[in-house]
Every structure is written in structure tokens, then in C-alpha cells.
Amino acid sequence: MPGVMNDWLPVLEPEFKKPYYKELYNFVKKEYKERVIYPPAKDIFNCLHFTPLSKVKVVILGQDPYHNPNQAHGLAFSVLPEVPWNEVPPSLKNIYKEISDDIGCRVPNNGYLKKWADEGVLLLNTVLTVRQGAANSHQGRGWENFTDRIVSAVNALDRPIVYMLWGRNARSKAWMLDNPRSLVLEAAHPSPLSANKGFFGCRHFSKCNAFLKEACVEPIDWQIEDV
């Protein structure tokens, strides 16, 4: 696995020396040799590379990477810009629908969310790798410990942060979020199986921006442009 760069490194470096991470590293390395694993190894830590700790304003917590070809690239819920609209995952299309209904953003023709990452939205999955065609196949191997450390580092920041926890896996980290300066928003997962059980109508995007404005923090421009 490639290393972590920027200001995440001093926070996460101690994790690399722990027994659980050594086991995780060896497991993931073997998986990449023997199977088709997503995202590509060079992209595993893109969410950290694109959104330094010092820039984090919002954390959107997903489950694990997309497991179909040419989709996952290290940002939760995002796909690369060349993915045709008819292959954009339904979870992301449901996110766009909620943003449109909530704050009026136009639905773009692509699923590339790097703009959000650049604005300070940490697009973090609870598990960072997956086998092709097998959701949750790398669950319970150690990634959860590693992403707990990421979440706890954000929780320790002395500034307002918004957390959007969608689905059971993401909501399982809510207990860690005890910073009184934070806003923690929880909802069902945006997948077609659960979006109608509390994701649609959650209004997380308007609530997020209202909270940031109240705290004198520049709100997020959620509009993704066409490519």
C-alpha cells in the first residue's frame, strides 16, 4: 500500500507500527496479488491526500468502496469523471437527488466528487478496500481501527466540524464524536434499499451549510459541474 502524505502522516504514523496494521497490510498486499481489488492500490488513501486534516470542514462517512470495475478511486461515493452517467451508482444518484431537493443544486452528468474533497469534505469509507463484486469483503480485517483513528483525529480538532453518517456502518462511529463544537447528522444509507427510510428528506446539506455559516466558516459549494 502507498504511504500517507501531508499533515495526516504524524497523526497516522503510530498506527503503521501497531500489530493490527501489520496484519492488515499483509492481508491487503496478498489480496492485490491474488485477486481484483478496488480501488487501485495507488488510490487507497486519496481521501486523505485530497483533504488534509487542516482543511477538513465536513466528514461524509461511507461503508466500503464501490466493487464494480472502473468506479472506486479512494473517495467515498465518488466515481471517476469518465464513468458514463448510466453507470454512476444509484447511491450517488440518490445523493444528488437529495441535494437537488434540499438546496436546489442541478444534477450533473458525472459522479466525480473531488471538488467536494478540495473544499474540505473528507469522503471517508469505514473500510478502504474491497474485492471485485463482493461488498464488505474486507470488513473486519483492521480498516475499521484505522478509520477510527482518522475520525478521532478530526473529532479532536478545536473547530466546528459537520459529520454526515449514512447507514449502519457509518452510524456505528457516532459514539466517538463527543466534541461540543461538532454537528453530527445521521440518516439511512442513500442506497436504493434504504434511501426511502430516512435518507430522502434528511436535509443534511442545508443543515451543514447553515451550521458552518453560523460558525463563521465558509459553507460548502455542493454543486458538481458537468464534464
Side-chain angles (χ1 to χ4, degrees), residues 98-208:
E98 176 60 24
I99 295 175
S100 177
D101 292 346
D102 185 13
I103 56 175
C105 284
R106 175 180 42 78
V107 175
N109 65 356
N110 69 94
Y112 190 48
L113 304 182
K114 184 174 181 289
K115 179 192 173 188
W116 293 357
D118 293 339
E119 288 207 29
V121 181
L122 181 65
L123 294 163
L124 177 68
N125 280 313
T126 55
V127 171
L128 299 188
T129 53
V130 70
R131 289 176 190 163
Q132 180 178 7
N136 290 322
S137 48
H138 283 186
Q139 207 174 45
R141 293 290 186 163
W143 278 128
E144 293 89 346
N145 302 56
F146 187 74
T147 54
D148 277 356
R149 182 68 194 101
I150 293 171
V151 172
S152 67
V154 179
N155 181 63
L157 296 171
D158 186 23
R159 65 173 192 267
I161 303 287
V162 180
Y163 297 87
M164 299 184 190
L165 310 182
W166 299 336
R168 185 169 49 85
N169 291 46
R171 295 171 86 169
S172 71
K173 292 196 191 290
W175 66 272
M176 303 175 63
L177 306 175
D178 58 2
N179 190 322
R181 301 194 69 185
S182 299
L183 174 65
V184 181
L185 302 171
E186 298 186 47
H189 195 276
S191 84
L193 297 174
S194 54
N196 286 311
K197 298 175 183 174
F199 179 76
F200 288 141
C202 69
R203 300 184 61 83
H204 281 187
F205 303 94
S206 58
K207 289 174 182 175
C208 168

Side-chain angles (χ1 to χ4, degrees), residues 88-105:
V88 169
S91 293
L92 180 51
K93 289 182 177 178
N94 285 341
I95 292 169
Y96 283 156
K97 182 181 186 307
E98 176 60 24
I99 295 175
S100 177
D101 292 346
D102 185 13
I103 56 175
C105 284

